[in-house]
Amino acid sequence: MRFSPKIERAYLVDYAASRMKLVLGWAVVGTIVYNLMLFGDAALAGDVFKQLLFVRVCVFTPLVVVGLFFLHRHPTALCYDLLAIGVGVFSTLLPMTTVIFSHSHDLYAYQNANTAAFLFFIIVLRPRFFIGVIGLVLLSAIHLITMKLTGAFTSGVYLSIASLVLSTAVFLGAGAYYLEHTDRMNFLHRLKSSLLHQQLILKSEQDGLTGLLNRHSLSRISADLWSSDPPSTVCAILLDIDHFKTFNDLHGHIHGDECLRKVSQSISEMIGHDGHVFRFGGEEILVLIDNADEAAGLEIAEVIRAAIEALRIPHSGLGQDEVVTASLGVATVTTQSNTLEDLLKKADTALYHAKRSGRNRAFKAHDLASSTKQEAASRLPASFA
């Protein structure tokens, strides 16, 4: 009847939430029915009717209102159980202690009617099992003690009352156990279904080879980034493993896949929760970082480049003692005035320039724009330069 600590905490949150959905309804209906029992009070214990009217309307009903207010402020499993046991105990204690002073000949029928509190406590309120057991013990004690104090029953009749009360408590206690067991199993099934659903979503958004995010997740995450308010700055690092086709041709595709996995794992561990890493296509990997300018992006790109080189994955296609390296392009745009396509085009252009400049280096789009302007200016006649 208890899960591991982490799952138990989740169950208690679910338990409290499910009870909170119904608490107002049962409180209203239960209080109305409880006060309608005044008709029975008048018929079976009329000599103490005024006192019963007072405890039902002026004591118990306000207590329910106060309890509901407290539960609304503190909607936890423990607070709900305390309210449930309080309702059960006071709904029995108030009228049963009042009829101690009654001289009615109908107290046997009256005490039978008050066993309805047992049913309401377990079946309607449905507290957790251990709270249910505590409540049933208290209700039984209240019932038996007050009936004894009336002095209205012979020992045989009192024994019959005690047998009825205790057997009712035992049966309801067993019912409370199976009710909670059912609740727990239902919660466990829902939890497993939820986890399975999350795993399916995760697999649908992961690249099977590298474990990185795929193009499908890129669409979802970019939509979130571009819908942020206020608009943000998004940095893209697009990298390509240098001479990867040559690596595959010489080392084979199995080693090529292993190389891609190691590179992907290295990047993923480095970025962590600071960004999103995607397999963009083939040996191309894309990193998106929110709220990062190009200078910061270039620093990260340099760290990634050095980390890949530090893996020391042999690349015999480049010569003896040569290792796998990568070229990287860095670009940054504001989501207010640019699209994801704009960002990727800039990063791709920067990547192309890094590869054209000798590979195993990172280049940012701003530098490319500056160099393009300088080249254009150098081609102008001296009178225009």
Side-chain angles (χ1 to χ4, degrees):
M1 292 292 285
R2 190 171 181 84
F3 300 122
S4 64
K6 185 176 181 180
I7 298 178
E8 184 69 18
R9 287 192 295 270
Y11 168 74
L12 293 180
V13 171
D14 181 80
Y15 166 81
S18 65
R19 297 303 187 269
M20 287 297 296
K21 292 178 182 177
L22 304 174
V23 67
L24 182 60
W26 68 245
V28 172
V29 174
T31 304
I32 291 174
V33 172
Y34 185 76
N35 287 324
L36 285 176
M37 293 182 71
L38 284 167
F39 290 103
D41 294 341
L44 301 175
D47 55 338
V48 290
F49 175 74
K50 291 182 180 179
Q51 293 88 330
L52 288 169
L53 175 65
F54 176 78
V55 297
R56 288 186 186 275
V57 177
C58 301
V59 179
F60 180 78
T61 301
L63 282 176
V64 172
V65 174
V66 171
L68 287 175
F69 177 77
F70 177 78
L71 186 61
H72 178 73
R73 297 290 299 272
H74 307 280
T76 65
L78 177 60
C79 289
Y80 175 83
D81 286 338
L82 290 176
L83 176 63
I85 202 169
V87 168
V89 168
F90 281 105
S91 67
T92 301
L93 180 65
L94 293 172
M96 295 302 287
T97 52
T98 302
V99 297
I100 291 175
F101 306 99
S102 174
H103 300 289
S104 172
H105 298 293
D106 298 316
L107 291 183
Y108 183 81
Y110 186 86
Q111 63 85 28
N112 282 339
N114 270 282
T115 56
F118 287 64
L119 301 175
F120 185 81
F121 175 62
I122 295 297
I123 297 175
V124 179
L125 300 186
R126 292 184 67 175
R128 283 178 285 170
F129 172 67
F130 76 94
I131 292 293
V133 170
I134 294 172
L136 289 172
V137 170
L138 292 174
L139 291 176
S140 299
I142 292 169
H143 213 84
L144 296 177
I145 292 172
T146 53
M147 286 298 95
K148 186 68 174 179
L149 292 175
T150 61
F153 306 106
T154 63
S155 58
V157 173
Y158 182 77
L159 182 61
S160 173
I161 293 173
S163 299
L164 175 63
V165 170
L166 294 177
S167 61
T168 299
V170 169
F171 288 135
L172 289 175
Y177 175 86
Y178 288 110
L179 285 173
E180 181 173 350
H181 184 268
T182 300
D183 283 347
R184 286 179 173 272
M185 292 305 297
N186 289 337
F187 170 77
L188 200 58
H189 291 320
R190 291 197 307 272
L191 184 61
K192 288 180 178 178
S193 298
S194 176
L195 291 174
L196 179 60
H197 180 66
Q198 291 177 12
Q199 288 176 353
L200 291 173
I201 292 177
L202 185 62
K203 287 183 177 180
S204 72
E205 295 197 347
Q206 274 188 328
D207 174 63
L209 175 62
T210 63
L212 300 180
L213 298 171
N214 58 21
R215 286 290 191 103
H216 176 70
S217 57
L218 175 60
S219 300
R220 177 182 61 80
I221 291 172
S222 62
D224 292 339
L225 292 174
W226 259 259
S227 62
S228 64
D229 187 23
S232 63
T233 300
V234 179
C235 177
I237 302 172
L238 186 61
L239 68 92
D240 184 81
I241 298 176
D242 295 329
H243 302 292
F244 191 69
K245 183 179 184 302
T246 304
F247 184 95
N248 269 333
D249 292 341
L250 292 175
H251 296 275
H253 288 282
I254 293 178
H255 289 289
D257 290 346
E258 182 62 23
C259 169
L260 193 55
R261 275 193 291 267
K262 287 182 178 179
V263 170
S264 300
Q265 182 179 359
S266 175
I267 298 171
S268 184
E269 290 175 354
M270 190 175 306
I271 296 300
H273 299 292
D274 295 329
H276 309 279
V277 187
F278 309 85
R279 185 181 181 188
F280 194 62
E283 68 275 18
E284 285 189 332
I285 296 173
L286 171 67
V287 179
L288 289 183
I289 305 171
D290 193 18
N291 292 318
D293 57 24
E294 269 193 0
L298 184 61
E299 284 186 30
I300 296 171
E302 281 292 346
V303 173
I304 292 173
R305 184 202 62 76
I308 293 173
E309 188 173 19
L311 292 173
R312 308 301 298 174
I313 301 173
H315 194 327
S316 58
L318 302 179
Q320 189 176 4
D321 298 329
E322 294 294 329
V323 296
V324 169
T325 59
S327 301
L328 304 93
V330 181
T332 301
V333 298
T334 57
T335 57
Q336 185 176 21
S337 54
N338 297 270
T339 65
L340 174 64
E341 289 73 18
D342 296 331
L343 176 62
L344 295 178
K345 285 178 181 178
K346 290 182 179 181
D348 187 58
T349 302
L351 170 61
Y352 174 76
H353 190 79
K355 293 169 71 173
R356 192 178 66 173
S357 301
R359 292 185 169 86
N360 191 23
R361 65 196 61 205
F363 201 88
K364 65 180 190 286
H366 179 75
D367 290 345
L368 178 60
S370 299
S371 63
T372 302
K373 289 180 180 179
Q374 290 175 1
E375 289 175 5
S378 67
R379 291 194 296 268
L380 288 175
S383 58
F384 291 97

